[in-house]
């Protein structure tokens, strides 16, 4: 295998253990193949038939039924790496990717950690520490207060007092948080106590750390993040921004690069702030500094994600930089092979996340068999996915099925390409958000780039309804039933109880994370 | 051949088909109480149906549901057995939307509740979900306890609605 790119590296390696699963594991395995590295997957029993296990050069089963004994099993994963002769560990995103103790244990075992130093993960992972460090580094943060009180009652009264100073509406967020967990919005002072209790409880159960902080809620702001790359010699560059404003339940749905509202001047200001943020924690590797940008054009540090991001492909599309390969180069100790002035933006890229979820009932996760799965192809289309036809979507893991990325000359062309690709995307047997995404990208407010983090709530205040069923659909189903077509499809879907979640239009289940105005 | 379907909006469709040289043709079609006149016909292939308007649909069946991809959109229609009602579970029964754990129960049996009032809190897929009353009424039955692990579809609570 051709590994000449690693010539002269201070920390060469040739075999990588991927401490992850699904789509991102597939992405990393592909990067390994291209870089001449061999890939070692780990998997839990219920992933034995998964695509990433099939794609890897070698795979090791981690026994046990819960995450703690499988994908979060620090000791066992390191043991497998040592026994199987892997030299490096790539954590992907989620799972152990932002666990400083894991990063440290990997390095103490003499393995190469494909990620930032443990200290940087720690500083950025504790959002209260990060806010303090960013203030010191001159990076603007969202107005708010950190609550240091540990005892539940004194924390609640400190939160109450701080909320009066910060003002409404505000967000209560877990210091150890991320991914929308341990986060509550408060729009009335009478809700502060119950919201704080809920956030603390969720944070305590998800992270074992109930500390929270308060941030002024910057309504109708945009979520814009800067991709950075930092090598082990202290060189840091940024790869411009990604706009990720369209979210539901604080989880991103659609991302695009470049942002339609970021001027060259704002890009260089935000880029410089992101580079300063990375330098403040002696960062190494690929990372993302997230900002909220207000309608007045001011930007505020939100958090830094110390790992590869789900939406990294749009940056790859517009800059031509392979970010996972760059992670390998940096981990090997090589210097960045380009400087800031080499980074140019070419065209426009949009990513949508295809989720197994029901947008007609509050985006509740859906399960079911992927009886028919046909992904779009053609110019400017990239699909990153960890599933294929015949797989079963279970409630065990994240409901993201695939990422659809389009690249075209400009935003309008990219939207046209995305509309074409979404209409070609066929997933039958499990409810997905594909129809909702088609409505989203054809919405006049989206077309005119008036996106904000409350875009979905603002434009679908009563929720989204399924595409109306017409005569053609009923005739097609009746004809198929009359002709016995089901014998063919039921043979494919015989796996387990293939009954999908039934969603009543008057669904009484709503998620707490989502507040409809 | 007569079939009755229910679409995702709850609308019921009754369709009668007969075979002709052009394929399967619609004899009669109703949506709810409304008669629809249609001269569409369909030809059935291996995994798709070609309609006489030139459009195609891709289909599969899971349980009683037909999943239909037509003109870029995904539909699901449930086939209903003649004469049976789908409300095996009474209207006021609230079931677990997915497997999870009961975190909190905010009501007691006999209590009056109003539409939209939170009844219980469950954790599923690592998120907290609030289960709210679909109508004004009283709590008729409580079938779970705090800390219970429940399966998808398990009846958790029954609300007797005020008509």
């Amino acid at each position: 295998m051709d590994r000449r790119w690693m010539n002269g590296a201070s920390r060469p390696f040739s075999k990588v253990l991927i401490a992850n699963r699904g789509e991102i594991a597939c992405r990393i395995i592909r990067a390994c193949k291209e870089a001449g590295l061999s890939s070692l997957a780990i998997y839990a029993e219920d992933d034995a038939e998964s695509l990433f296990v099939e794609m890897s050069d070698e795979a090791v089963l981690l026994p046990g039924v819960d995450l703690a004994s499988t994908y979060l099993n620090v000791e066992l994963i390191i043991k497998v790496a040592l026994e199987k002769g892997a030299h490096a560990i790539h954590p992907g995103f989620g799972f152990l990717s932002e666990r400083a103790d894991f990063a440290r244990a990997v390095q103490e075992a003499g393995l190469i950690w494909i990620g930032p130093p443990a200290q940087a993960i720690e500083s950025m992972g504790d959002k209260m520490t990060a806010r303090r460090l960013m203030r010191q580094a001159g990076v603007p943060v969202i107005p708010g207060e950190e609550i240091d009180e540990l005892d539940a009652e004194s924390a609640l009264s400190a939160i109450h007092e701080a909320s009066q100073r910060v003002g409404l509406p505000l967000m209560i967020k877990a210091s150890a948080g991320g991914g929308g967990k341990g986060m509550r919005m408060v729009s009335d002072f009478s809700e502060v106590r119950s919201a704080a209790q809920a956030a603390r409880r969720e944070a305590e159960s998800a992270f074992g750390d109930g500390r929270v902080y308060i941030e002024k809620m910057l309504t109708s702001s945009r979520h814009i993040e800067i991709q950075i790359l930092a090598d082990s010699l202290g060189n840091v560059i940024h790869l411009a921004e990604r706009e990720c404003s369209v979210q539901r339940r604080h989880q991103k749905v659609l991302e695009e690069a470049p942002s339609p509202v970021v001027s060259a001047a704002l890009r260089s200001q935000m880029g410089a702030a992101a580079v300063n943020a990375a330098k403040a924690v002696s960062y190494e590797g690929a990372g993302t500094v997230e900002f909220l940008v207000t309608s007045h054009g001011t930007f505020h540090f939100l958090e830094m994600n110390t790992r590869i991001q789900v939406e990294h492909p749009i940056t790859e599309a517009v800059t031509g930089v392979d970010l996972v390969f760059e992670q390998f180069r940096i981990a090997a100790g090589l210097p960045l092979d380009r400087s800031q002035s080499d980074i140019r933006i070419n065209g426009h890229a949009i990513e949508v996340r295809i989720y197994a979820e029901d947008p007609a009932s509050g985006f509740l996760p859906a399960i079911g068999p992927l009886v028919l799965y046909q992904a779009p192809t053609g110019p400017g289309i990239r699909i990153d996915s960890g599933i294929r036809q015949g797989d079963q979507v279970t409630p065990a893991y994240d409901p993201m099925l695939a990422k659809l990325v389009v690249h075209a000359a400009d935003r309008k062309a990219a939207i046209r390409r995305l509309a074409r690709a979404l209409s070609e995307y066929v997933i039958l047997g499990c409810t997905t958000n594909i129809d909702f995404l088609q409505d989203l990208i054809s919405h006049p407010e989206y077309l005119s780039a008036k996106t904000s983090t409350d875009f979905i709530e603002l434009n679908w205040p009563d929720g989204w309804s399924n595409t109306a069923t017409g005569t053609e659909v009923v005739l097609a189903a009746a004809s198929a039933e009359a002709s016995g077509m089901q014998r063919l499809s039921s043979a494919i879907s015989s796996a387990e109880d293939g009954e999908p979640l039934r969603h009543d239009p008057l669904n009484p289940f709503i998620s707490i994370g989502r507040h409809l105005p | 051949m007569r079939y009755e379907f229910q679409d995702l909006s709850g609308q019921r469709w009754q369709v009668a088909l007969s075979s002709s040289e052009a394929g399967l043709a619609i004899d009669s079609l109703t949506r709810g109480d409304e008669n629809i006149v249609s001269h569409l016909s369909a030809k059935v292939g291996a995994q798709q149906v070609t309609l006489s308007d030139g459009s195609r649909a891709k289909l599969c069946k899971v349980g009683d549901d037909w999943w239909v991809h037509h003109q870029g959109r995904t539909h699901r229609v449930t086939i209903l057995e003649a004469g049976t009602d789908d409300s095996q579970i009474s209207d006021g029964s609230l079931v677990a939307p997915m497997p999870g754990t009961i975190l909190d129960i905010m009501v007691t049996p006999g209590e009056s509740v109003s539409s939209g009032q939170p009844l219980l809190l469950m954790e599923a897929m690592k998120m907290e979900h609030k289960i709210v009353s679909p109508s004004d009424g009283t709590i008729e039955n409580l079938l779970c306890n705090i800390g219970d692990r429940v399966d998808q579809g398990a009846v958790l609570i029954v609300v007797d609605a005020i008509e």
Side-chain angles (χ1 to χ4, degrees):
Chain A
M1 289 202 273
D2 185 1
R3 264 197 314 275
R4 273 172 292 182
W5 62 268
M6 220 189 262
N7 287 348
S10 57
R11 301 185 294 239
F13 57 92
S14 62
K15 185 169 179 177
V16 179
L17 180 146
I18 295 120
N20 214 298
R21 64 176 298 284
E23 174 269 317
I24 190 61
C26 294
R27 166 73 181 94
I28 299 163
I29 291 165
R30 290 192 168 110
C32 285
K33 286 186 204 286
E34 291 173 10
L37 304 168
S38 58
S39 56
L40 170 63
I42 52 159
Y43 65 99
E45 183 72 53
D46 56 2
D47 266 327
E49 304 294 322
S50 290
L51 183 62
F52 74 97
V53 174
E54 185 184 299
M55 279 175 56
S56 63
D57 294 326
E58 209 180 334
V60 175
L61 169 71
L62 305 187
V65 290
D66 56 350
L67 289 177
S69 48
T70 55
Y71 297 109
L72 297 178
N73 192 338
V74 170
E75 260 177 55
L76 182 58
I77 291 170
I78 292 173
K79 188 164 164 266
V80 168
L82 294 171
E83 278 175 11
K84 295 284 176 182
H87 313 106
I89 294 188
H90 196 308
F93 49 67
F95 293 122
L96 294 169
S97 61
E98 292 181 283
R99 284 263 303 268
D101 60 329
F102 183 57
R104 201 166 276 130
V106 167
Q107 287 166 303
E108 279 166 5
L111 298 163
I112 294 165
W113 168 245
I114 305 177
Q119 180 65 51
I121 301 177
E122 234 153 40
S123 303
M124 287 299 186
D126 187 65
K127 309 302 178 201
M128 284 168 39
T129 306
R131 283 172 57 84
R132 288 174 169 139
L133 278 171
M134 290 306 107
R135 273 197 210 104
Q136 283 164 24
V139 177
V141 300
I142 297 172
E145 290 186 30
E146 296 80 33
I147 308 295
D148 288 305
E149 283 77 1
L150 290 174
D151 163 69
E153 269 313 309
S154 47
L156 287 173
S157 66
I159 290 165
H160 177 75
E161 282 166 30
S163 69
Q164 304 286 327
R165 288 188 292 270
V166 171
L168 296 173
L170 56 83
M171 298 290 296
I172 301 176
K173 296 182 176 181
S175 189
K181 284 164 206 153
M183 199 192 290
R184 289 294 182 279
M185 191 196 92
V186 176
S187 50
D188 191 297
F189 286 118
S190 66
E191 299 166 5
V192 169
R193 193 179 169 87
S194 64
Q197 278 173 326
R200 282 176 56 88
R201 181 175 56 228
E202 207 171 282
E204 186 67 48
S205 97
F207 316 111
D209 177 357
R211 287 176 309 130
V212 296
Y213 61 103
I214 296 176
E215 273 178 0
K216 175 90 182 150
M217 173 129 172
L218 303 175
T219 45
S220 293
S221 55
R222 289 168 181 262
H223 177 120
I224 299 178
E225 59 189 28
I226 305 281
Q227 175 72 51
I228 63 107
L229 282 175
D231 66 21
S232 54
L233 308 164
N235 304 305
V236 186
I237 60 169
H238 73 84
L239 283 78
E241 78 282 359
R242 293 185 286 260
E243 159 129 21
C244 317
S245 295
V246 184
Q247 307 186 351
R248 54 112 186 86
R249 282 194 208 155
H250 306 292
Q251 298 243 10
K252 296 162 189 166
V253 172
L254 176 149
E255 302 96 349
E256 57 189 300
S259 163
V261 297
V262 172
S263 64
L266 183 57
R267 179 172 302 128
S268 75
Q269 278 176 40
M270 291 178 69
V275 167
N276 283 342
K279 285 183 171 164
V281 294
S282 306
Y283 200 82
E284 266 178 52
T288 298
V289 184
E290 300 188 332
F291 295 100
L292 283 183
V293 179
T294 65
S295 46
H296 314 293
T298 60
F299 62 91
H300 304 268
F301 173 84
L302 188 59
E303 60 181 40
M304 181 170 188
N305 292 311
T306 52
R307 51 169 164 82
I308 193 81
Q309 297 268 102
V310 174
E311 59 273 23
H312 76 272
I314 55 174
T315 298
E316 297 185 322
V318 296
T319 61
V321 176
D322 180 336
L323 289 169
V324 177
F325 181 61
E326 291 305 316
Q327 288 187 297
F328 292 158
R329 290 187 73 262
I330 293 165
L334 291 165
L336 293 177
D337 60 359
R338 61 197 95 207
S339 62
Q340 192 61 58
S341 57
D342 298 325
I343 302 299
R344 297 256 187 283
I345 296 172
N346 170 29
H348 197 92
I350 308 175
E351 172 185 282
V352 287
R353 302 188 186 189
I354 310 298
Y355 284 112
E357 67 180 15
D358 189 357
S361 50
F363 300 96
L364 209 62
I367 55 174
L370 301 173
V371 181
L372 193 65
Y373 178 86
Q374 291 172 353
T377 56
I381 304 281
R382 167 175 171 183
I383 303 275
D384 277 22
S385 170
I387 49 99
R388 71 286 219 218
Q389 184 165 303
D391 283 358
Q392 189 82 20
V393 180
T394 72
Y397 302 109
D398 189 90
M400 191 175 78
L401 298 177
K403 308 188 298 205
L404 165 60
V405 184
V406 298
H407 185 209
D410 56 37
R411 187 171 191 266
K412 280 193 173 125
I415 293 171
R416 288 197 300 269
R417 180 157 283 168
L418 182 55
R420 186 269 291 175
L422 283 169
S423 72
E424 271 181 34
Y425 217 137
V426 184
I427 301 180
L428 299 182
C430 179
T431 302
T432 73
N433 62 341
I434 291 175
D435 282 18
F436 171 72
L437 291 171
Q438 294 184 67
D439 288 351
L440 195 159
I441 63 158
S442 55
H443 197 287
E445 297 285 294
Y446 177 72
L447 298 174
S448 58
K450 290 189 187 122
T451 49
S452 56
T453 50
D454 46 10
F455 182 81
I456 292 176
E457 287 86 344
L458 281 178
N459 292 296
W460 286 273
D462 302 318
W464 178 85
S465 303
N466 286 298
T467 310
T469 291
T471 304
E472 298 87 347
V473 170
V474 173
L475 172 60
S479 307
E481 179 75 27
S483 313
M485 191 198 280
Q486 72 270 25
R487 281 193 297 276
L488 195 144
S489 44
S490 60
I492 303 167
S493 66
S494 59
E496 292 182 40
D497 173 19
E499 194 69 10
L501 280 173
R502 267 174 212 286
H503 294 301
D504 187 319
L506 298 167
N507 196 309
F509 305 103
I510 52 169
S511 165
I512 277 176
R514 187 175 153 82
H515 288 259
L516 298 171
Chain B
M1 293 161 280
R2 300 185 72 85
Y3 301 100
E4 185 174 16
F5 294 98
Q6 185 169 330
D7 69 23
L8 288 170
S9 69
Q11 188 74 252
R12 291 194 178 199
W13 298 75
Q14 285 175 322
V15 59
L17 301 180
S18 60
S19 295
S20 72
E21 279 151 38
L24 291 158
I26 295 177
D27 285 341
S28 70
L29 179 67
T30 60
R31 180 180 59 198
D33 300 330
E34 181 194 355
N35 266 312
I36 296 174
V37 178
S38 170
H39 301 292
L40 272 182
S41 60
K43 280 191 169 149
V44 180
Q47 221 168 37
Q48 66 175 23
V49 169
T50 306
L51 299 166
S52 53
D53 64 1
S55 67
R56 284 161 204 273
K58 290 180 176 171
L59 298 99
C60 74
K61 193 180 186 191
V62 181
D64 294 331
D65 291 333
W66 274 104
W67 295 73
V68 184
H69 189 263
H70 180 252
Q71 292 188 328
R73 296 294 179 132
T74 305
H75 304 265
R76 194 171 87 223
V77 292
T78 305
I79 190 156
L80 303 171
E81 293 295 330
T84 62
D85 198 300
D86 61 336
S87 55
Q88 197 181 16
I89 295 173
S90 74
D91 285 347
S93 296
L94 301 185
V95 300
M98 64 194 89
T101 308
I102 305 299
L103 293 180
D104 198 8
I105 299 173
M106 288 86 107
V107 289
T108 51
E111 191 174 328
S112 300
V113 292
S114 51
S115 176
Q117 181 180 336
L119 305 179
L120 55 85
L121 195 59
M122 71 178 286
E123 185 185 24
M125 314 266 301
K126 305 196 175 59
M127 295 283 292
E128 286 187 5
H129 300 277
K130 189 160 46 173
I131 289 171
V132 302
S133 180
S135 57
D136 294 341
T138 52
I139 302 299
E140 192 179 305
N141 207 349
L142 194 55
L143 299 152
C144 59
N145 296 305
I146 294 175
D148 280 1
R149 287 194 57 83
V150 294
D151 288 334
Q152 180 197 331
V155 177
L156 304 176
I157 199 161
V158 183
V159 180
D160 184 18
I162 299 166
E163 292 299 324

